[in-house]
Amino acid sequence: MRMRSTVKMADEDVPVEMELEEKAPADKTDQKPVEKDKDTLTCEDVREQMKLIERGVIQKESRYIVRALRSIQKLRKQLNDNVLWNLLSSLPSVNKQVLAYINEPMETSTSIPQYRAGTRKNIVLPEVEAFLHLLVVIKLIDNSEIEKARTCNTKLLEKLVSLNRRSLDAIAAKVYFYQSRIFELQGQLGSLRNFLHARLRTASLHYDEESQAVLLNLLLRNYIHYNLYDQADKLVSKSKFPSGANNCEMARYLFYLGRIRAIQLDYSESHKHLIQAIRKAPQQSAIGFRQTAHKFAVVVELLLGDIPDKAIFHERVLERPLQPYFQLTKAVRNGDLVQFGHVLENYQGHFQADHTYTLIVRLRHNVIKTGIRRISLSYSRISLRDIADKLGLDDALDAEYIVAKAIKDGVIEATINHHEGYMQSKEHVDIYTTKEPQEAFHQRIQFCLDLYTQSVKAMRYPPKSYKESENVEELRETEKQLIEVVKMVDEDDEEEEEF
């Protein structure tokens, strides 16, 4: 009897799931769940983003819409005609004009049910339709159907402008970006400039910070594409970048600003903006942007007279793209004008494709100054003819002019004997008497002060914290005095009434 009761107690302690597994037939345990194909999984992922957009519109929270738009880069690799056709055809109200840009698949998936909107009246929101319309545009761009993408995106823009809903601002910013990309692929970027200015003016009046940031970056890219740096600088001076924009748009703005300052010979400001753009950019993605920003940062740092860190050229992502710039850095560091000419000749097409050739040509003077500095440290006395041979110059007269300019700029401490044709270096040179340590110290102090200012701006203080610092006893005495005054006033009123 004890054994039976014990067994019964043990059976009662077994979980329900375990009992079901034990009592299940043997043939059903071998069944495997049905695996879904890639298109069905992609449709489900897009549906989740559509639900996020509906949630953001209903709750009036734009962060849900922004989160859905961030998934586009992941989804665009999985989009095809089958996925887009199933998504659009499952909507209660299908836009036939959008379906015209998609090739109808031979077999449609029957496992995808009709889309059910989250609203009470089961009406598809305009934000959801605009999101699917945008996916169609991206798919056409990836398939190199640029003319179809331009027509499709233009219709989407007209629809967004006619609706004029604030919940569509984040989607409209994406549409502006791809509109500019389409015109750039067609080589007609200049014809879009008036449209971008008009939309920027409208976005500023509506306080649409997301569209402001995107349109401002698109205009700067437009001007830089046609080498209109003066107009780009005027646009920067007349406008203000919105503080509420995301880090990606901020990184693009700093990158364009760094390129403008580099052309204007303001290398210190340019280097600061480029370094900030690299730090603002996503570290795990946006590899192409980081590579391009590092190319400009290396050239600008060389123009400043500094040598970039060698570890930058050995990073796994940057090693191959920065190989020409590594050779350029070695030529500038050695002060070898011949080697600099060979690098410029061998990689001229590469530099022109990167739009850094104009800046690299300016490095010739830096190479000469570095070579003169090395010669001044190596020789106490050397003829101008030998200097011309070492630097690869034409004659001694050019060497004399260059050495005189270097002495005037404070690059070297030396004197020139014009009659005998040689340069005499000064032996004991105190580097702390020059401006270099002072300028370096000033840059470090300025960096620390900027970091402190940004940290103070980023701090958040609790509301009404000043009340906690007040003296509690003084507040109590003030309350007592007020109570006594009220009592005295009441007593006077009662005496007047009795009288």
Side-chain angles (χ1 to χ4, degrees):
M1 296 294 292
R2 290 183 179 178
M3 289 295 294
R4 289 179 182 177
S5 61
T6 306
V7 173
K8 187 176 182 181
M9 292 285 291
D11 290 339
E12 291 177 355
D13 294 337
V14 176
V16 178
E17 295 81 5
M18 295 291 292
E19 290 181 359
L20 292 174
E21 290 180 1
E22 291 175 359
K23 296 177 183 179
D27 56 348
K28 292 185 179 180
T29 55
D30 297 335
Q31 293 180 355
K32 296 181 179 180
V34 180
E35 295 183 358
K36 299 180 181 179
D37 57 349
K38 294 183 179 179
D39 293 347
T40 305
L41 293 174
T42 304
C43 290
E44 291 179 357
D45 292 341
V46 177
R47 290 283 177 81
E48 292 297 327
Q49 309 310 323
M50 293 162 65
K51 291 178 181 178
L52 271 179
I53 293 175
E54 283 188 350
R55 184 179 177 185
V57 175
I58 294 171
Q59 298 183 5
K60 297 181 180 180
E61 288 286 345
S62 60
R63 56 191 178 94
Y64 295 114
I65 302 176
V66 173
R67 189 191 304 177
L69 293 174
R70 287 176 183 172
S71 65
I72 290 179
Q73 296 301 324
K74 180 182 178 182
L75 293 173
R76 68 185 302 174
K77 299 178 182 179
Q78 306 168 3
L79 293 176
N80 53 37
D81 292 334
N82 188 20
V83 172
L84 293 173
W85 185 275
N86 288 325
L87 287 170
L88 290 170
S89 60
S90 63
L91 295 177
S93 57
V94 182
N95 192 346
K96 296 182 179 180
Q97 293 181 352
V98 182
L99 285 174
Y101 297 101
I102 307 171
N103 298 323
E104 184 177 358
M106 298 298 295
E107 295 180 0
T108 57
S109 178
T110 58
S111 61
I112 301 176
Q114 189 177 13
Y115 176 71
R116 294 182 179 179
T119 56
R120 294 180 181 179
K121 297 181 180 180
N122 199 21
I123 300 174
V124 181
L125 295 174
E127 289 78 9
V128 175
E129 292 184 358
F131 177 72
L132 293 179
H133 199 151
L134 180 61
L135 293 181
V136 174
V137 173
I138 295 172
K139 185 257 178 187
L140 293 173
I141 294 174
D142 293 340
N143 292 347
S144 300
E145 300 178 9
I146 307 301
E147 192 61 35
K148 287 185 178 180
R150 178 174 178 175
T151 309
C152 185
N153 201 62
T154 303
K155 291 182 179 179
L156 179 56
L157 274 173
E158 294 174 355
K159 184 178 180 180
L160 294 178
V161 172
S162 62
L163 289 174
N164 194 17
R165 291 163 62 99
R166 299 282 69 78
S167 54
L168 285 169
D169 290 341
I171 301 176
K174 282 286 183 182
V175 176
Y176 297 144
F177 174 81
Y178 286 108
Q179 183 77 352
S180 178
R181 179 58 181 165
I182 291 170
F183 274 72
E184 185 176 357
L185 292 173
Q186 291 183 334
Q188 302 176 4
L189 198 58
S191 60
L192 192 65
R193 199 174 300 152
N194 293 332
F195 170 78
L196 294 177
H197 275 291
R199 299 315 304 169
L200 178 61
R201 186 162 54 250
T202 304
S204 302
L205 293 175
H206 291 167
Y207 296 97
D208 181 8
E209 293 187 345
E210 191 71 24
S211 297
Q212 277 183 265
V214 172
L215 290 167
L216 189 58
N217 286 332
L218 291 178
L219 281 169
L220 290 177
R221 182 180 180 85
N222 198 316
Y223 285 127
I224 292 174
H225 181 77
Y226 293 102
N227 295 326
L228 301 175
Y229 289 96
D230 291 337
Q231 296 185 22
D233 183 52
K234 290 179 181 179
L235 178 63
V236 171
S237 61
K238 298 295 182 181
S239 60
K240 183 179 180 182
F241 192 82
S243 58
N246 55 33
N247 281 343
C248 295
E249 296 300 329
M250 187 66 185
R252 290 192 185 100
Y253 179 75
L254 291 170
F255 171 70
Y256 294 140
L257 199 59
R259 290 187 60 178
I260 294 170
R261 295 293 178 260
I263 295 296
Q264 295 176 341
L265 305 178
D266 193 355
Y267 299 129
S268 58
E269 286 294 319
S270 174
H271 185 258
K272 182 178 71 173
H273 292 316
L274 291 171
I275 294 300
Q276 288 178 351
I278 294 171
R279 292 173 180 172
K280 286 277 187 182
Q283 301 302 313
Q284 302 300 328
S285 58
I287 297 174
F289 177 82
R290 289 174 55 206
Q291 292 172 353
T292 306
H294 271 290
K295 292 174 183 178
F296 279 93
V298 168
V299 176
V300 171
E301 193 168 356
L302 291 174
L303 287 169
L304 283 170
D306 300 330
I307 303 299
D309 190 4
K310 192 176 181 180
I312 297 175
F313 301 101
H314 295 292
E315 291 187 15
R316 184 177 60 86
V317 180
L318 305 174
E319 187 173 3
R320 288 187 61 186
L322 294 184
Q323 182 62 28
Y325 297 89
F326 181 58
Q327 301 297 329
L328 182 69
T329 302
K330 290 196 295 185
V332 175
R333 184 175 180 273
N334 296 330
D336 192 348
L337 199 60
V338 177
Q339 184 182 0
F340 175 77
H342 289 322
V343 172
L344 201 61
E345 183 179 357
N346 295 333
Y347 298 103
Q348 182 177 358
H350 191 93
F351 294 145
Q352 289 177 348
D354 294 336
H355 304 286
T356 56
Y357 185 76
T358 305
L359 298 175
I360 291 173
V361 171
R362 302 178 186 176
L363 283 172
R364 186 176 184 274
H365 184 62
N366 292 58
V367 176
I368 294 173
K369 288 197 301 183
T370 305
I372 291 175
R373 188 185 294 111
R374 292 173 65 90
I375 292 171
S376 175
L377 295 174
S378 301
Y379 300 92
S380 60
R381 179 177 175 178
I382 185 173
S383 63
L384 297 175
R385 180 69 259 178
D386 293 338
I387 293 176
D389 294 338
K390 288 182 178 295
L391 295 179
L393 302 176
D394 296 334
D395 53 6
L397 186 61
D398 293 341
E400 183 177 357
Y401 291 150
I402 292 173
V403 171
K405 183 68 166 58
I407 293 173
K408 183 179 179 181
D409 294 341
V411 178
I412 58 175
E413 294 288 337
T415 56
I416 300 176
N417 192 326
H418 300 281
H419 299 287
E420 299 183 8
Y422 67 85
M423 181 190 72
Q424 181 74 37
S425 301
K426 296 182 179 179
E427 296 182 358
H428 301 287
V429 179
D430 188 6
I431 192 172
Y432 291 100
T433 59
T434 62
K435 295 182 179 180
E436 293 182 0
Q438 183 180 359
E439 292 177 354
F441 190 57
H442 175 71
Q443 289 179 358
R444 295 179 182 180
I445 292 176
Q446 189 65 33
F447 174 77
C448 294
L449 291 175
D450 293 341
L451 182 62
Y452 172 76
T453 304
Q454 294 176 3
S455 302
V456 171
K457 290 181 179 179
M459 293 176 66
R460 295 183 179 180
Y461 299 95
K464 299 181 181 180
S465 60
Y466 61 90
K467 289 188 177 181
E468 298 177 0
S469 61
E470 294 182 357
N471 193 354
V472 180
E473 295 181 359
E474 294 179 359
L475 291 174
R476 290 177 180 176
E477 291 180 359
T478 306
E479 290 178 358
K480 290 180 181 180
Q481 293 177 0
L482 290 174
I483 293 172
E484 292 178 357
V485 171
V486 171
K487 288 182 179 180
M488 293 175 60
V489 171
D490 293 340
E491 290 177 357
D492 293 340
D493 293 341
E494 291 178 356
E495 291 177 359
E496 290 178 359
E497 290 176 358
E498 293 177 358
F499 178 75

